[in-house]
Amino acid sequence: MLIVVLLIWSGSASAQQFEIPRKDGGAVPEVAITGLFDKVIASRESGEVEFPDASFAHLQIATGRHADAMGTIHAIVRGLVDAGEARRADRWMPYLVYAQAKAMESGSGIPFDTAYGRAFRERFGNTDDLAANHAQYWFTADLDRARADLDGALKELASIRSVSLPDALEMARQYAFVEAHEAATRLGPALIAEDEQARYIVEENHVFTTAQGATLSAVVVRARKQPERKPVALLFTIYTDLGQHLQQAKQAAARGYVGVVVDARGKRLSTDRIVPYEHEVDDANAAVDWASRQPWSNGEVGMYGGSYSGFAAWAAAKRGHRALKTIVPYVAAIPGQGLPMENNIFLSANYGWAFFVANNRFLDSDTYSQRERWKTLDEKWFKSGRPYREIDRVDGTPNPLLQRWLLHPAYDAYWQAMVPYREDFSRIDIPVLSITGYYDDGQISALHYFKEHYRYKPDAEHYLLIGPYDHFGAQAPFKTPVLNGYRIDPVAQFDTVDVTFQWLDYVMRGGARPELLKGRVNYEVMGANEWRNAPSLAAAGGGSIDFYLSDALAGGHRLLSKEKPASIAMLAQQVDFADRMTFSHGYYPDPIVRDSLPVESGLSFISAPFDHPVTISGTFSGELKARINKRDFDFAVVLYEMMADGRVMQLSYYLGRASFARDMGTRVLLEPGEWTSIPFERTRMVSRRLEKGSRLLAVLDVVKDPMHQVNYGTGRDVSDESIADAVIPLDIEWRTDSYLRIPLSVERPD
């Protein structure tokens, strides 16, 4: 089916139909489709229909009106620039170059390829390095898919007599896209390389030795026309992709820095063994030292990057090299806390990652992309009942890195050495900007860095920027408008790369602080469509309310009560670990918004409806009172908003092991039959406006699913337990003086 563009049409425009050209009564040939586009153009020029200038430019290109298309595109670009949206104007560069080349070909008889080169050089010759860097991005496209989409649309026309205006405009967009990007794909790479050669000095094969004797390789890019010493923007990564490295380094050089990308130990030109996480404190520090001492460096280094690279920036900060002036980590990982285990539970969500980064000196994408293999592995292992330590035997391929990690089920000295730990944070006196998302599965790591930095250094200059993004969206220039079923507020859009370099400019070049950073904590309130700021996480919450896990029934759930129970009752639950047909209640939000939420496992608690709008901003915590017949168990608490119309939106969740609840580094087993208090706090931050009539819904459950270790409760190392330990089910009682502490505040009036 033809894709309908997402525009708001008047009723008459939507109803407008255009007859499809025919040839000898048969199917529509591609060359004849321009007749349809001619009719659409004529209808606009006569005032019969209206549609955006962008669609008009596509129609002009598709019908060969290339000089007219140039004028339309120029007007579009001027409008976007005047509106402060110059980045959106960049996407028109391939169309502008193409239209200009076609106009030169038809007007002057210049061969198209020659004309294209002239048009490209003229356009790019008038742009600065940063604008050129942005525009180059749009010369790449999935051309095979675009052609297939266009071919499908043309075939669709063979069976119908007319099309609506939106469908005609969508076809024109596809048609113009293919025309412009066929030329861009064929001619663009050589012209871009020529342009970049004139702009940059590129050095791909630097190799240097660390103080520990390891070798690391680096890519360095500098602006050719500005040879003076400059600050260094350094990215340290295990995701070795030379093409990507060059683009990242050129982007930094285009913004006035020396762009440096360093490969982790054992990657690319390094001959050492690949062991993720274990040497980055030394190696990232060595990279800072090396970059600061080069003749093109002014001696100052700023590190940035997401996920692993965010972790590496923190690893470098642990050493505190005098040249390291700031770090900008996004969705930064903490080995041993967010992956490969979370709150002491090993999880399989990223099982294949070890093969991806460690199978060779670049990336083993073929293995990592075997999604069905990894999904099937989780299910096979779970159904087999084998110990988690044998999951790689179930797969049939040894996973030595996983086996190495499984030797450390506590957050012990092995993990502690990889990033700043406790008092290490007191010595980190450089400005820091952390960026993460409410739905980043590794958010607890990014937030832990932020909390610990302020815990041990109250006067730290550390800013947090957070909104409705997942792990990849928080790192991206453009955030997906619909995330796992939730449409983000328009104001939530921002360019992570732009903010990164604005921050580097602020710290290293005396520039203004990024506009979004008005307080130490900067967060987008979902549903309110606004950014707010606060001096701390606690201040963002504006207070908290304790909700107790009542035994009173409330419409298919139990009551989540603001009143502490006058008398304590017990809520019983039994979990049969030998049963592999039922799973625990889900934890990661996909989708984020559901039409309803049947709770098939665990205990659910719902609050009374709010009689006025409230906001939840921050992390929830709690303390559970429980008694079990075993020595240990794993549990999850998932927090939702139930809207007045019955839809349910996931807000946050906690996942953890009871025996490590008070100290992730020390396991304290439970006494069977004895009551114990289990505090928890490492939950995901969220900010959401809850409208009048909404309620909070919390689901408490014992963890039992294919994505996590199964804790059978024997007290032995959980990695060695198996279904043989499931003879006796887990019997658990929850006391009704257990509570959740939720950062709720009355919504301020508009």
Side-chain angles (χ1 to χ4, degrees):
M1 297 295 292
L2 293 178
I3 302 170
V4 179
V5 288
L6 298 177
L7 299 172
I8 300 175
W9 304 97
S10 67
S12 60
S14 298
Q16 177 73 45
Q17 294 288 312
F18 293 88
E19 185 178 349
I20 298 167
R22 299 279 168 176
K23 184 176 182 180
D24 301 327
V28 182
E30 185 174 343
V31 293
I33 201 65
T34 56
L36 169 64
F37 298 152
D38 285 335
K39 292 180 180 180
V40 177
I41 290 175
S43 293
R44 169 170 159 142
E45 291 175 340
S46 68
E48 185 178 350
V49 298
E50 295 181 1
F51 49 82
D53 284 348
S55 297
F56 195 36
H58 296 147
L59 287 162
Q60 289 169 323
I61 289 174
T63 55
R65 297 169 167 87
H66 298 109
D68 293 340
M70 289 174 61
T72 303
I73 294 171
H74 279 305
I76 293 170
V77 169
R78 281 195 302 271
L80 290 170
V81 171
D82 290 345
E85 298 185 82
R87 289 292 299 274
R88 288 184 60 196
D90 296 332
R91 66 180 293 271
W92 286 101
M93 184 67 89
Y95 296 96
L96 197 53
V97 171
Y98 175 78
Q100 182 174 342
K102 293 296 288 186
M104 292 169 64
E105 179 186 36
S106 61
S108 304
I110 301 172
F112 176 76
D113 288 9
T114 302
Y116 193 92
R118 288 186 185 178
F120 183 97
R121 294 183 185 98
E122 178 182 325
R123 296 291 168 188
F124 277 80
N126 293 324
T127 61
D128 60 28
D129 291 348
L130 183 57
N133 182 272
H134 289 160
Q136 287 169 7
Y137 170 83
W138 295 101
F139 280 75
T140 59
D142 186 346
L143 194 54
D144 289 340
R145 179 175 178 178
R147 286 196 190 104
D149 288 346
L150 178 59
D151 289 344
L154 291 171
K155 289 178 182 178
E156 182 73 20
L157 293 184
S159 61
I160 55 179
R161 300 187 63 85
S162 63
V163 296
S164 67
L165 177 60
D167 284 354
L169 296 182
E170 171 59 16
M171 175 169 286
R173 184 199 65 78
Q174 293 175 321
Y175 201 102
F177 183 93
V178 169
E179 282 205 7
H181 285 85
E182 280 182 339
T185 300
R186 182 169 62 87
L187 302 172
L191 291 165
I192 289 172
E194 173 190 299
D195 182 70
E196 290 183 337
Q197 174 66 22
R199 294 179 188 274
Y200 305 116
I201 299 170
V202 178
E203 299 165 341
E204 299 179 2
N205 299 322
H206 280 285
V207 177
F208 59 95
T209 304
T210 72
Q212 294 74 32
T215 57
L216 302 175
S217 57
V219 164
V220 177
V221 177
R222 295 175 283 147
R224 189 177 293 277
K225 297 178 182 178
Q226 299 173 336
E228 69 273 14
R229 292 172 179 260
K230 293 182 179 179
V232 176
L234 172 62
L235 182 79
F236 190 103
T237 182
I238 201 168
Y239 298 112
T240 299
D241 180 325
L242 184 56
Q244 184 68 20
H245 288 4
L246 290 169
Q247 286 305 311
Q248 290 165 327
K250 288 171 185 173
Q251 181 169 242
R255 296 174 182 267
Y257 294 84
V258 178
V260 177
V261 180
V262 177
D263 299 291
R265 185 182 297 202
K267 304 295 288 185
R268 204 161 68 92
L269 304 179
S270 172
T271 57
D272 299 286
R273 182 183 173 200
I274 304 170
V275 187
Y277 308 139
E278 295 188 14
H279 303 293
E280 278 75 358
V281 167
D282 291 328
D283 292 353
N285 182 70
V288 171
D289 181 71
W290 175 80
S292 70
R293 293 186 291 102
Q294 299 310 301
W296 30 256
S297 170
N298 71 351
E300 297 186 349
V301 178
M303 292 186 71
Y304 69 101
S307 196
Y308 171 92
S309 295
F311 144 73
W314 277 111
K318 184 181 178 87
R319 283 282 189 266
H321 196 288
R322 58 179 175 75
L324 185 61
K325 301 304 179 184
T326 186
I327 60 174
V328 188
Y330 351 118
V331 295
I334 298 181
Q337 288 198 27
L339 53 83
M341 65 179 180
E342 178 173 331
N343 296 326
N344 303 96
I345 302 175
F346 280 92
L347 56 158
S348 300
N350 213 19
Y351 180 90
W353 184 84
F355 302 108
F356 181 49
V357 300
N359 273 6
N360 61 54
R361 302 201 180 280
F362 288 85
L363 294 171
D364 187 354
S365 299
D366 291 341
T367 297
Y368 194 51
S369 63
Q370 296 172 16
R371 297 185 181 277
E372 190 62 28
R373 171 185 172 185
W374 307 127
K375 177 182 177 182
T376 303
L377 171 61
D378 297 336
E379 296 169 352
K380 285 181 179 177
W381 164 76
F382 184 71
K383 290 179 179 179
S384 76
R386 294 174 70 168
Y388 194 78
R389 203 180 302 278
E390 296 180 7
I391 188 172
D392 55 354
R393 298 186 193 178
V394 176
D395 179 44
T397 302
N399 191 334
L401 285 175
L402 174 66
Q403 294 300 328
R404 191 180 187 92
W405 298 330
L406 290 176
L407 296 174
H408 303 276
Y411 190 71
D412 57 16
Y414 172 77
W415 303 109
Q416 294 165 14
M418 297 177 181
V419 294
Y421 181 67
R422 293 185 177 173
E423 287 77 11
D424 291 337
F425 283 99
S426 67
R427 296 184 288 273
I428 299 176
D429 58 0
I430 58 175
V432 179
L433 169 59
S434 289
I435 302 174
T436 187
Y438 301 143
Y439 299 104
D440 167 28
D441 47 356
Q443 188 217 100
I444 57 169
S445 296
L447 221 58
H448 183 82
Y449 287 119
F450 183 80
K451 291 177 178 178
E452 291 294 280
H453 198 184
Y454 275 110
R455 185 195 308 271
Y456 289 97
K457 190 173 179 58
D459 63 343
E461 185 182 359
H462 190 158
Y463 287 76
L464 175 67
L465 182 59
I466 186 169
Y469 321 116
D470 63 5
H471 192 69
F472 299 101
Q475 305 176 62
F478 180 77
K479 318 308 182 194
T480 180
V482 180
L483 174 63
N484 294 351
Y486 168 70
R487 181 170 293 279
I488 71 173
D489 295 333
V491 76
Q493 283 290 347
F494 77 92
D495 185 331
T496 296
V497 178
D498 274 353
V499 170
T500 296
F501 282 93
Q502 289 168 18
W503 175 268
L504 294 180
D505 287 348
Y506 162 66
V507 176
M508 303 172 72
R509 307 170 88 179
R513 194 170 65 217
E515 179 65 23
L516 280 174
L517 307 181
K518 298 183 184 301
R520 292 295 198 255
V521 178
N522 305 272
Y523 55 101
E524 200 273 328
V525 184
M526 296 187 293
N529 192 33
E530 69 178 46
W531 285 94
R532 296 181 187 171
N533 61 85
S536 67
L537 286 172
S544 61
I545 299 175
D546 290 347
F547 288 85
Y548 292 88
L549 307 185
S550 167
D551 62 340
L553 296 179
H557 308 280
R558 292 176 175 84
L559 180 64
L560 190 61
S561 174
K562 295 181 183 179
E563 303 297 327
K564 187 172 183 178
S567 60
I568 297 172
M570 272 68 76
L571 305 172
Q573 183 180 6
Q574 186 178 82
V575 180
D576 182 2
F577 291 114
D579 173 16
R580 296 308 163 100
M581 301 305 294
T582 58
F583 305 151
S584 55
H585 187 78
Y587 66 108
Y588 185 75
D590 188 7
I592 292 170
V593 180
R594 305 169 187 263
D595 290 335
S596 63
L597 185 72
V599 180
E600 299 173 352
S601 177
L603 305 177
S604 59
F605 304 85
I606 194 164
S607 73
F610 295 108
D611 57 11
H612 49 259
V614 298
T615 55
I616 175 172
S617 294
T619 60
F620 80 98
S621 58
E623 185 167 349
L624 305 175
K625 312 288 181 63
R627 178 168 62 184
I628 65 173
N629 62 335
K630 292 174 177 284
R631 306 295 307 278
D632 200 6
F633 71 102
D634 298 342
F635 67 97
V637 184
V638 189
L639 186 65
Y640 302 90
E641 173 194 3
M642 179 174 281
M643 304 175 210
D645 61 6
R647 289 180 300 136
V648 177
M649 178 173 179
Q650 183 163 332
L651 301 173
S652 181
Y653 67 93
Y654 174 85
L655 182 80
R657 181 157 294 161
S659 59
F660 283 104
R662 295 185 182 276
D663 183 350
M664 289 186 294
T666 304
R667 190 181 192 192
V668 178
L669 295 172
L670 284 64
E671 289 294 332
E674 297 291 329
W675 288 103
T676 186
S677 294
I678 307 169
F680 68 93
E681 64 173 359
R682 299 184 73 242
T683 63
R684 273 80 181 165
M685 178 180 177
V686 70
S687 183
R688 166 77 173 166
R689 175 186 167 117
L690 282 63
E691 297 294 343
K692 177 181 177 180
S694 285
R695 294 178 286 177
L696 290 175
L697 173 64
V699 180
L700 169 64
D701 205 359
V702 173
V703 176
K704 189 194 75 168
D705 62 55
M707 297 301 295
H708 303 93
Q709 289 177 309
V710 177
N711 185 349
Y712 295 86
T714 67
R716 305 197 315 272
D717 188 330
V718 175
S719 294
D720 295 321
E721 293 180 316
S722 73
I723 202 167
D725 298 302
V727 175
I728 300 174
L730 171 69
D731 288 320
I732 184 168
E733 292 177 291
W734 306 96
R735 282 181 16 179
T736 54
D737 56 344
S738 301
Y739 66 87
L740 307 182
R741 181 162 292 161
I742 299 175
L744 276 179
S745 59
V746 176
E747 179 67 356
R748 61 194 180 195
D750 294 335

